[in-house]
Amino acid sequence: MTQSTISKSHMVVAQNASGRNMNVPIYRITGSKPGPTVYIQSSIHGAEVQGNVVIYQLIQYLKQLDVCGEIILVPNCNPVGTNIKAGEYTLGRFDPVNGTNWNRGYYYDEQKVHEFAETVSAQESLSSVKQRFRAFWRQAINEKLSSGWGLGLAQQLNLKLQLLAVDADIVLDLHNGPVSTRHVYLPEYAADAAKLLNIPHTILIPNQFAGALDEATFCPWWTLQSLISAQRQEAVSCNVEAMTLEMGSQEVIAFEEGKQDAQSILSYLSKRGIINDCPYEPLAMHRVGVYLKDYRTLYTQWGGMVEYVARPGDKISAGEPLARVLNIDELDNADATFTVTAPCDVIPILHFPSASVLSGTQLYKAFTRYFDITSE
């Protein structure tokens, strides 16, 4: 078996108030044969750290595997967020200066895609279109990044990372929920990928942009292929996929679970032609899906102390307990506790990480009207 080569470099993503550079490492796994390009990053939100272990385990496996093309791995891609601490907690979800979500500043401009599509002739090969579009899109991102008015820190970081991913055929953004089971966000057009990952819960999202990296990757390609398909009156696929993988709960890493997560990604990459003779296959397991409109948030109408009864990943029937609440002002009477029940049949996917809950809190996020993707 021909082994792949590994190289490492660093990229400056920010400067602190002392003017010192903050770097992230970039690992490149280059195969001996041509093939697709894969981009994988982790920890754009500072508390979401399991992806770093997944990337570590991927590197250990990839040292021994026959890779086609190139795999770009960027662990801990947001060192600013990782270092925003309050006591023992990591508060790395938002840019502390501008209040911006670290995962909402990527670039997409639908009009730019339409502008490019007008330059595509009926005779141009799809490979030529893809090559030209990547150069076009890279230039558009660079122009945004070099704005004379400047950009907030989160958007600067996002655009620098997006430039690393602009040539990728597959983009995987590794995240975590507060207290969460593993789940994946997939665009509806790539729903079949859910069967290739060893992840039990899939959220199918519309092919629309809301600021995240996966959407910033697949939306331009989806739009372009739709325009070309209409022009040529035949289905055209650019074969670009992007997804967000939620690798369990925040603030914890688990090395053994990281091996399983890495094997899941390897089984998917193998089916997409990136790894030859891969020893890992998608597991025979029960997989459940839901459309984004049916992924619901249960908000609290009260404040109190909470015991989370329903565990992420469990099937809960309508009327069954989700949580038990302690009301501090009523400890001497029958109103001291009450039970929060499921408003319909649900699968809780994640819940708020703290037992102390304010009114209006997102207590649970759950699948409703879910359906089987695969059975065991």
Side-chain angles (χ1 to χ4, degrees), residues 39-71:
Y39 175 83
I40 304 175
Q41 71 176 30
S42 68
S43 296
I44 192 65
H45 293 134
E48 302 179 16
V49 292
Q50 175 66 11
N52 299 309
V53 175
V54 177
I55 287 177
Y56 162 74
Q57 301 290 16
L58 279 171
I59 291 173
Q60 308 317 303
Y61 286 122
L62 288 167
K63 287 177 180 178
Q64 309 302 322
L65 294 173
D66 186 11
V67 173
C68 298
E70 183 178 50
I71 301 175

mmCIF file of all heavy atoms in Angstrom, residues 39-71:
data_model
loop_
_atom_site.group_PDB
_atom_site.id
_atom_site.type_symbol
_atom_site.label_atom_id
_atom_site.label_comp_id
_atom_site.label_asym_id
_atom_site.label_seq_id
_atom_site.Cartn_x
_atom_site.Cartn_y
_atom_site.Cartn_z
ATOM 1 N N TYR A 39 -11.845 19.157 3.061
ATOM 2 C CA TYR A 39 -11.476 20.143 4.083
ATOM 3 C C TYR A 39 -12.261 19.826 5.356
ATOM 4 O O TYR A 39 -13.493 19.691 5.326
ATOM 5 C CB TYR A 39 -11.802 21.560 3.620
ATOM 6 C CG TYR A 39 -11.544 22.620 4.682
ATOM 7 C CD1 TYR A 39 -10.271 23.130 4.875
ATOM 8 C CD2 TYR A 39 -12.578 23.078 5.487
ATOM 9 C CE1 TYR A 39 -10.032 24.079 5.855
ATOM 10 C CE2 TYR A 39 -12.350 24.042 6.476
ATOM 11 C CZ TYR A 39 -11.077 24.535 6.656
ATOM 12 O OH TYR A 39 -10.841 25.471 7.629
ATOM 13 N N ILE A 40 -11.548 19.706 6.492
ATOM 14 C CA ILE A 40 -12.181 19.404 7.778
ATOM 15 C C ILE A 40 -11.632 20.373 8.822
ATOM 16 O O ILE A 40 -10.409 20.495 8.980
ATOM 17 C CB ILE A 40 -11.901 17.953 8.223
ATOM 18 C CG1 ILE A 40 -12.360 16.954 7.145
ATOM 19 C CG2 ILE A 40 -12.606 17.650 9.543
ATOM 20 C CD1 ILE A 40 -12.001 15.504 7.453
ATOM 21 N N GLN A 41 -12.519 21.056 9.533
ATOM 22 C CA GLN A 41 -12.092 21.940 10.617
ATOM 23 C C GLN A 41 -12.878 21.629 11.886
ATOM 24 O O GLN A 41 -13.943 20.999 11.849
ATOM 25 C CB GLN A 41 -12.275 23.415 10.241
ATOM 26 C CG GLN A 41 -13.711 23.881 10.169
ATOM 27 C CD GLN A 41 -13.837 25.387 9.881
ATOM 28 O OE1 GLN A 41 -12.993 25.986 9.229
ATOM 29 N NE2 GLN A 41 -14.899 25.993 10.372
ATOM 30 N N SER A 42 -12.332 22.086 13.017
ATOM 31 C CA SER A 42 -13.016 21.872 14.298
ATOM 32 C C SER A 42 -12.856 23.099 15.188
ATOM 33 O O SER A 42 -11.932 23.893 15.024
ATOM 34 C CB SER A 42 -12.457 20.643 15.020
ATOM 35 O OG SER A 42 -11.121 20.875 15.444
ATOM 36 N N SER A 43 -13.781 23.232 16.122
ATOM 37 C CA SER A 43 -13.724 24.218 17.217
ATOM 38 C C SER A 43 -13.857 25.663 16.756
ATOM 39 O O SER A 43 -13.209 26.543 17.307
ATOM 40 C CB SER A 43 -12.439 24.042 18.043
ATOM 41 O OG SER A 43 -12.415 22.797 18.682
ATOM 42 N N ILE A 44 -14.722 25.932 15.773
ATOM 43 C CA ILE A 44 -15.003 27.330 15.471
ATOM 44 C C ILE A 44 -15.679 27.986 16.671
ATOM 45 O O ILE A 44 -15.532 29.183 16.912
ATOM 46 C CB ILE A 44 -15.864 27.469 14.190
ATOM 47 C CG1 ILE A 44 -15.904 28.917 13.707
ATOM 48 C CG2 ILE A 44 -17.260 26.921 14.402
ATOM 49 C CD1 ILE A 44 -14.597 29.496 13.258
ATOM 50 N N HIS A 45 -16.434 27.208 17.452
ATOM 51 C CA HIS A 45 -16.921 27.648 18.761
ATOM 52 C C HIS A 45 -15.990 27.085 19.829
ATOM 53 O O HIS A 45 -15.694 25.884 19.834
ATOM 54 C CB HIS A 45 -18.349 27.157 19.012
ATOM 55 C CG HIS A 45 -19.378 27.788 18.105
ATOM 56 N ND1 HIS A 45 -20.348 27.067 17.452
ATOM 57 C CD2 HIS A 45 -19.555 29.086 17.736
ATOM 58 C CE1 HIS A 45 -21.094 27.884 16.727
ATOM 59 N NE2 HIS A 45 -20.633 29.112 16.879
ATOM 60 N N GLY A 46 -15.535 27.953 20.709
ATOM 61 C CA GLY A 46 -14.439 27.597 21.605
ATOM 62 C C GLY A 46 -14.676 26.413 22.508
ATOM 63 O O GLY A 46 -13.740 25.679 22.846
ATOM 64 N N ALA A 47 -15.921 26.189 22.940
ATOM 65 C CA ALA A 47 -16.209 25.095 23.871
ATOM 66 C C ALA A 47 -16.417 23.759 23.170
ATOM 67 O O ALA A 47 -16.564 22.732 23.832
ATOM 68 C CB ALA A 47 -17.452 25.436 24.706
ATOM 69 N N GLU A 48 -16.418 23.776 21.841
ATOM 70 C CA GLU A 48 -16.755 22.573 21.080
ATOM 71 C C GLU A 48 -15.466 21.869 20.662
ATOM 72 O O GLU A 48 -14.929 22.104 19.577
ATOM 73 C CB GLU A 48 -17.637 22.955 19.890
ATOM 74 C CG GLU A 48 -18.909 23.656 20.346
ATOM 75 C CD GLU A 48 -19.829 24.079 19.215
ATOM 76 O OE1 GLU A 48 -19.655 23.573 18.082
ATOM 77 O OE2 GLU A 48 -20.726 24.899 19.465
ATOM 78 N N VAL A 49 -14.981 21.001 21.544
ATOM 79 C CA VAL A 49 -13.594 20.537 21.433
ATOM 80 C C VAL A 49 -13.417 19.100 20.953
ATOM 81 O O VAL A 49 -12.309 18.707 20.600
ATOM 82 C CB VAL A 49 -12.875 20.716 22.790
ATOM 83 C CG1 VAL A 49 -12.705 22.190 23.115
ATOM 84 C CG2 VAL A 49 -13.640 20.020 23.923
ATOM 85 N N GLN A 50 -14.472 18.288 20.933
ATOM 86 C CA GLN A 50 -14.295 16.883 20.556
ATOM 87 C C GLN A 50 -13.741 16.737 19.152
ATOM 88 O O GLN A 50 -12.985 15.798 18.859
ATOM 89 C CB GLN A 50 -15.630 16.132 20.681
ATOM 90 C CG GLN A 50 -15.621 14.687 20.203
ATOM 91 C CD GLN A 50 -14.752 13.759 21.042
ATOM 92 O OE1 GLN A 50 -14.288 14.123 22.112
ATOM 93 N NE2 GLN A 50 -14.525 12.557 20.549
ATOM 94 N N GLY A 51 -14.047 17.661 18.261
ATOM 95 C CA GLY A 51 -13.533 17.576 16.900
ATOM 96 C C GLY A 51 -12.024 17.559 16.826
ATOM 97 O O GLY A 51 -11.448 16.995 15.878
ATOM 98 N N ASN A 52 -11.351 18.156 17.806
ATOM 99 C CA ASN A 52 -9.881 18.126 17.815
ATOM 100 C C ASN A 52 -9.361 16.713 18.016
ATOM 101 O O ASN A 52 -8.367 16.311 17.395
ATOM 102 C CB ASN A 52 -9.349 19.047 18.919
ATOM 103 C CG ASN A 52 -9.761 20.480 18.695
ATOM 104 O OD1 ASN A 52 -9.584 21.026 17.625
ATOM 105 N ND2 ASN A 52 -10.345 21.094 19.716
ATOM 106 N N VAL A 53 -10.034 15.942 18.867
ATOM 107 C CA VAL A 53 -9.656 14.549 19.065
ATOM 108 C C VAL A 53 -9.965 13.737 17.807
ATOM 109 O O VAL A 53 -9.201 12.848 17.418
ATOM 110 C CB VAL A 53 -10.380 13.962 20.290
ATOM 111 C CG1 VAL A 53 -10.092 12.477 20.421
ATOM 112 C CG2 VAL A 53 -9.952 14.676 21.551
ATOM 113 N N VAL A 54 -11.084 14.057 17.168
ATOM 114 C CA VAL A 54 -11.445 13.355 15.935
ATOM 115 C C VAL A 54 -10.370 13.589 14.873
ATOM 116 O O VAL A 54 -9.928 12.650 14.190
ATOM 117 C CB VAL A 54 -12.817 13.822 15.432
ATOM 118 C CG1 VAL A 54 -13.158 13.143 14.108
ATOM 119 C CG2 VAL A 54 -13.905 13.527 16.467
ATOM 120 N N ILE A 55 -9.909 14.833 14.737
ATOM 121 C CA ILE A 55 -8.859 15.123 13.761
ATOM 122 C C ILE A 55 -7.559 14.409 14.133
ATOM 123 O O ILE A 55 -6.856 13.865 13.257
ATOM 124 C CB ILE A 55 -8.657 16.648 13.634
ATOM 125 C CG1 ILE A 55 -9.842 17.255 12.879
ATOM 126 C CG2 ILE A 55 -7.345 16.979 12.923
ATOM 127 C CD1 ILE A 55 -9.798 18.763 12.744
ATOM 128 N N TYR A 56 -7.232 14.373 15.420
ATOM 129 C CA TYR A 56 -6.047 13.622 15.851
ATOM 130 C C TYR A 56 -6.159 12.155 15.437
ATOM 131 O O TYR A 56 -5.209 11.578 14.866
ATOM 132 C CB TYR A 56 -5.891 13.733 17.371
ATOM 133 C CG TYR A 56 -4.980 12.677 17.959
ATOM 134 C CD1 TYR A 56 -3.604 12.746 17.790
ATOM 135 C CD2 TYR A 56 -5.515 11.591 18.661
ATOM 136 C CE1 TYR A 56 -2.766 11.756 18.308
ATOM 137 C CE2 TYR A 56 -4.688 10.604 19.186
ATOM 138 C CZ TYR A 56 -3.314 10.694 19.012
ATOM 139 O OH TYR A 56 -2.509 9.713 19.511
ATOM 140 N N GLN A 57 -7.304 11.547 15.706
ATOM 141 C CA GLN A 57 -7.475 10.133 15.355
ATOM 142 C C GLN A 57 -7.467 9.947 13.835
ATOM 143 O O GLN A 57 -6.919 8.948 13.330
ATOM 144 C CB GLN A 57 -8.781 9.591 15.949
ATOM 145 C CG GLN A 57 -8.887 9.685 17.470
ATOM 146 C CD GLN A 57 -7.952 8.720 18.202
ATOM 147 O OE1 GLN A 57 -7.005 8.175 17.622
ATOM 148 N NE2 GLN A 57 -8.190 8.522 19.488
ATOM 149 N N LEU A 58 -8.036 10.880 13.101
ATOM 150 C CA LEU A 58 -7.999 10.789 11.642
ATOM 151 C C LEU A 58 -6.558 10.764 11.134
ATOM 152 O O LEU A 58 -6.210 9.974 10.248
ATOM 153 C CB LEU A 58 -8.747 11.973 11.023
ATOM 154 C CG LEU A 58 -10.265 11.874 10.941
ATOM 155 C CD1 LEU A 58 -10.856 13.206 10.502
ATOM 156 C CD2 LEU A 58 -10.699 10.760 9.989
ATOM 157 N N ILE A 59 -5.730 11.636 11.693
ATOM 158 C CA ILE A 59 -4.332 11.679 11.258
ATOM 159 C C ILE A 59 -3.643 10.348 11.522
ATOM 160 O O ILE A 59 -2.882 9.840 10.674
ATOM 161 C CB ILE A 59 -3.585 12.841 11.939
ATOM 162 C CG1 ILE A 59 -4.102 14.186 11.397
ATOM 163 C CG2 ILE A 59 -2.078 12.729 11.722
ATOM 164 C CD1 ILE A 59 -3.557 15.398 12.128
ATOM 165 N N GLN A 60 -3.917 9.736 12.692
ATOM 166 C CA GLN A 60 -3.296 8.447 13.001
ATOM 167 C C GLN A 60 -3.709 7.382 11.985
ATOM 168 O O GLN A 60 -2.883 6.582 11.530
ATOM 169 C CB GLN A 60 -3.667 7.992 14.423
ATOM 170 C CG GLN A 60 -3.410 9.019 15.524
ATOM 171 C CD GLN A 60 -2.088 9.739 15.377
ATOM 172 O OE1 GLN A 60 -1.026 9.124 15.337
ATOM 173 N NE2 GLN A 60 -2.144 11.067 15.303
ATOM 174 N N TYR A 61 -5.000 7.367 11.633
ATOM 175 C CA TYR A 61 -5.465 6.387 10.642
ATOM 176 C C TYR A 61 -4.920 6.697 9.250
ATOM 177 O O TYR A 61 -4.489 5.805 8.517
ATOM 178 C CB TYR A 61 -6.994 6.373 10.598
ATOM 179 C CG TYR A 61 -7.667 5.713 11.779
ATOM 180 C CD1 TYR A 61 -8.568 6.411 12.579
ATOM 181 C CD2 TYR A 61 -7.433 4.377 12.080
ATOM 182 C CE1 TYR A 61 -9.198 5.804 13.650
ATOM 183 C CE2 TYR A 61 -8.048 3.753 13.155
ATOM 184 C CZ TYR A 61 -8.939 4.488 13.944
ATOM 185 O OH TYR A 61 -9.547 3.877 15.008
ATOM 186 N N LEU A 62 -4.955 7.969 8.878
ATOM 187 C CA LEU A 62 -4.587 8.340 7.511
ATOM 188 C C LEU A 62 -3.112 8.097 7.218
ATOM 189 O O LEU A 62 -2.721 7.941 6.058
ATOM 190 C CB LEU A 62 -4.947 9.806 7.264
ATOM 191 C CG LEU A 62 -6.448 10.095 7.146
ATOM 192 C CD1 LEU A 62 -6.715 11.594 7.219
ATOM 193 C CD2 LEU A 62 -7.022 9.505 5.860
ATOM 194 N N LYS A 63 -2.291 8.051 8.256
ATOM 195 C CA LYS A 63 -0.879 7.719 8.059
ATOM 196 C C LYS A 63 -0.718 6.346 7.404
ATOM 197 O O LYS A 63 0.276 6.087 6.726
ATOM 198 C CB LYS A 63 -0.145 7.712 9.406
ATOM 199 C CG LYS A 63 0.092 9.076 10.020
ATOM 200 C CD LYS A 63 0.753 8.924 11.382
ATOM 201 C CE LYS A 63 1.026 10.258 12.058
ATOM 202 N NZ LYS A 63 1.621 10.087 13.414
ATOM 203 N N GLN A 64 -1.688 5.469 7.642
ATOM 204 C CA GLN A 64 -1.573 4.093 7.174
ATOM 205 C C GLN A 64 -2.473 3.791 5.977
ATOM 206 O O GLN A 64 -2.496 2.653 5.512
ATOM 207 C CB GLN A 64 -1.959 3.137 8.327
ATOM 208 C CG GLN A 64 -1.242 3.390 9.639
ATOM 209 C CD GLN A 64 0.272 3.306 9.504
ATOM 210 O OE1 GLN A 64 0.776 2.454 8.770
ATOM 211 N NE2 GLN A 64 0.982 4.161 10.205
ATOM 212 N N LEU A 65 -3.220 4.788 5.484
ATOM 213 C CA LEU A 65 -4.194 4.541 4.434
ATOM 214 C C LEU A 65 -3.755 5.166 3.111
ATOM 215 O O LEU A 65 -2.936 6.075 3.076
ATOM 216 C CB LEU A 65 -5.565 5.094 4.846
ATOM 217 C CG LEU A 65 -6.217 4.395 6.047
ATOM 218 C CD1 LEU A 65 -7.479 5.128 6.470
ATOM 219 C CD2 LEU A 65 -6.515 2.937 5.724
ATOM 220 N N ASP A 66 -4.316 4.647 2.037
ATOM 221 C CA ASP A 66 -3.998 5.092 0.685
ATOM 222 C C ASP A 66 -5.014 6.160 0.269
ATOM 223 O O ASP A 66 -6.150 5.846 -0.080
ATOM 224 C CB ASP A 66 -4.038 3.890 -0.259
ATOM 225 C CG ASP A 66 -3.571 4.242 -1.665
ATOM 226 O OD1 ASP A 66 -3.023 5.352 -1.849
ATOM 227 O OD2 ASP A 66 -3.770 3.413 -2.567
ATOM 228 N N VAL A 67 -4.584 7.409 0.319
ATOM 229 C CA VAL A 67 -5.465 8.541 0.043
ATOM 230 C C VAL A 67 -5.353 8.943 -1.417
ATOM 231 O O VAL A 67 -4.254 8.984 -1.986
ATOM 232 C CB VAL A 67 -5.110 9.739 0.960
ATOM 233 C CG1 VAL A 67 -5.901 10.983 0.570
ATOM 234 C CG2 VAL A 67 -5.354 9.384 2.422
ATOM 235 N N CYS A 68 -6.486 9.254 -2.029
ATOM 236 C CA CYS A 68 -6.520 9.848 -3.364
ATOM 237 C C CYS A 68 -6.875 11.329 -3.204
ATOM 238 O O CYS A 68 -7.898 11.663 -2.609
ATOM 239 C CB CYS A 68 -7.565 9.165 -4.239
ATOM 240 S SG CYS A 68 -7.261 7.419 -4.513
ATOM 241 N N GLY A 69 -6.040 12.200 -3.742
ATOM 242 C CA GLY A 69 -6.300 13.625 -3.603
ATOM 243 C C GLY A 69 -5.650 14.196 -2.363
ATOM 244 O O GLY A 69 -4.539 13.791 -1.982
ATOM 245 N N GLU A 70 -6.340 15.103 -1.706
ATOM 246 C CA GLU A 70 -5.763 15.804 -0.553
ATOM 247 C C GLU A 70 -6.821 15.997 0.526
ATOM 248 O O GLU A 70 -7.982 16.289 0.228
ATOM 249 C CB GLU A 70 -5.205 17.166 -0.975
ATOM 250 C CG GLU A 70 -4.523 17.925 0.160
ATOM 251 C CD GLU A 70 -3.928 19.248 -0.289
ATOM 252 O OE1 GLU A 70 -4.662 20.020 -0.946
ATOM 253 O OE2 GLU A 70 -2.761 19.511 0.017
ATOM 254 N N ILE A 71 -6.403 15.844 1.779
ATOM 255 C CA ILE A 71 -7.269 16.108 2.927
ATOM 256 C C ILE A 71 -6.612 17.209 3.759
ATOM 257 O O ILE A 71 -5.471 17.059 4.206
ATOM 258 C CB ILE A 71 -7.484 14.845 3.780
ATOM 259 C CG1 ILE A 71 -8.108 13.738 2.925
ATOM 260 C CG2 ILE A 71 -8.375 15.157 4.986
ATOM 261 C CD1 ILE A 71 -8.246 12.404 3.646
#
